[in-house]
Amino acid sequence: MLLHIPDVLDREQVADMRRRLEAAAWTDGRETVGAVGAQVKRNLQLPDASPLRRELGETILVAVAKNPLFFSAALPLKYLPPRFNRYAGGGTYGYHVDGAVMNLSQGEQLRSDVSCTVFLCDPDEYEGGELVVSDTYGEHEVKLPAGDMIVYPSSSLHQVAPVTRGARLASFFWVQSMVRDEGRRRLLFEMDSALGVLRADKADDRALLQLTGAYHNLLRQWSEV
Ligand code: NI
């Protein structure tokens, strides 16, 4: 499931991040991928050890933690601290699949279940740069307003199309979900969304209580925490 989550960051947060990122020291994005990824990756990243990466990443994690739509869709257990990248002058990242297991800074491992990209530039500021996610329904091109986020299963094949004009700044990170299976996460998300509508419509209390109980009991059966 691809899900667009609008307004994760407000305009002021985006402007502040961009000002600081434009002045930052960037390194070759190939430093954080293996040999296969390095063949198709042409972009710049903030170095993993950069204090700016840590600080801006924290702002993003605080923002997503307050977002109920993100929580409902991702059911996050742990996060890889957000990274930041910049594509310009034909920069691209050809089709690839993200690594399944990643090292967290504390020597702890993270299984990548959900991939997240927060757009920091508006679509009319650059040409190309679409995130293209390929799944059984075909290819989906994603290019969102600054401050918006896309979440998609980390198991998907995906690419970033070449940026042929301007520059594309974004933040990206991975989530290990409490629910590993994408189909189960989707079912829980649909159920939770429908419960929200029923609650707003002041549906029958008893039926609502039963359905809410069923949601939590499914989450209890399927979550690994
Ligand atoms: Ni990727």
Side-chain angles (χ1 to χ4, degrees), residues 116-166:
C116 308
T117 298
V118 181
F119 288 75
L120 297 174
C121 294
D122 280 315
D124 59 1
E125 294 182 86
Y126 56 97
E127 209 77 59
E130 295 83 3
L131 170 69
V132 186
V133 181
S134 173
D135 65 16
T136 49
Y137 294 103
E139 291 190 342
H140 311 275
E141 287 192 359
V142 183
K143 192 169 177 177
L144 300 178
D148 287 15
M149 174 163 78
I150 188 83
V151 301
Y152 59 99
S154 300
S155 52
S156 343
L157 210 58
H158 57 279
Q159 66 165 334
V160 176
V163 172
T164 53
R165 178 185 64 82

Side-chain angles (χ1 to χ4, degrees), residues 93 96-98 152 158 174:
Y93 192 175
H96 65 280
V97 176
D98 297 335
Y152 59 99
H158 57 279
W174 291 275

Side-chain angles (χ1 to χ4, degrees), residues 48 53-58 60-61 78-84 102-106 108 110 171-175:
D48 270 2
R53 176 219 175 186
R54 216 167 309 135
E55 191 193 331
L56 300 185
E58 197 49 46
I60 288 186
L61 291 186
K78 47 188 177 180
Y79 301 86
L80 194 97
R83 288 182 176 146
F84 294 83
M102 303 180 179
N103 281 323
L104 279 179
S105 43
Q106 310 90 322
E108 200 189 335
L110 171 134
S171 175
F172 62 103
F173 59 96
W174 291 275
V175 175

Side-chain angles (χ1 to χ4, degrees), residues 17-122:
M17 264 187 205
R18 286 182 56 166
R19 202 164 35 240
R20 301 180 64 190
L21 287 171
E22 289 294 0
W26 297 82
T27 53
D28 192 320
R30 281 173 282 198
E31 284 174 15
T32 54
V33 288
V36 176
Q39 289 173 13
V40 290
K41 192 174 183 185
R42 298 283 177 273
N43 70 357
L44 296 174
Q45 268 177 217
L46 278 194
D48 270 2
S50 148
L52 184 62
R53 176 219 175 186
R54 216 167 309 135
E55 191 193 331
L56 300 185
E58 197 49 46
T59 305
I60 288 186
L61 291 186
V62 168
V64 299
K66 288 191 295 201
N67 194 295
L69 189 59
F70 171 77
F71 185 88
S72 178
L75 298 167
L77 177 63
K78 47 188 177 180
Y79 301 86
L80 194 97
R83 288 182 176 146
F84 294 83
N85 58 20
R86 185 176 196 278
Y87 292 82
T92 181
Y93 192 175
Y95 267 120
H96 65 280
V97 176
D98 297 335
V101 178
M102 303 180 179
N103 281 323
L104 279 179
S105 43
Q106 310 90 322
E108 200 189 335
Q109 309 272 314
L110 171 134
R111 184 189 63 236
S112 59
D113 294 319
V114 180
S115 299
C116 308
T117 298
V118 181
F119 288 75
L120 297 174
C121 294
D122 280 315

Side-chain angles (χ1 to χ4, degrees), residues 9-19 119-120 146-147:
L9 300 174
D10 62 34
R11 302 306 291 189
E12 210 170 300
Q13 285 174 310
V14 169
D16 178 63
M17 264 187 205
R18 286 182 56 166
R19 202 164 35 240
F119 288 75
L120 297 174

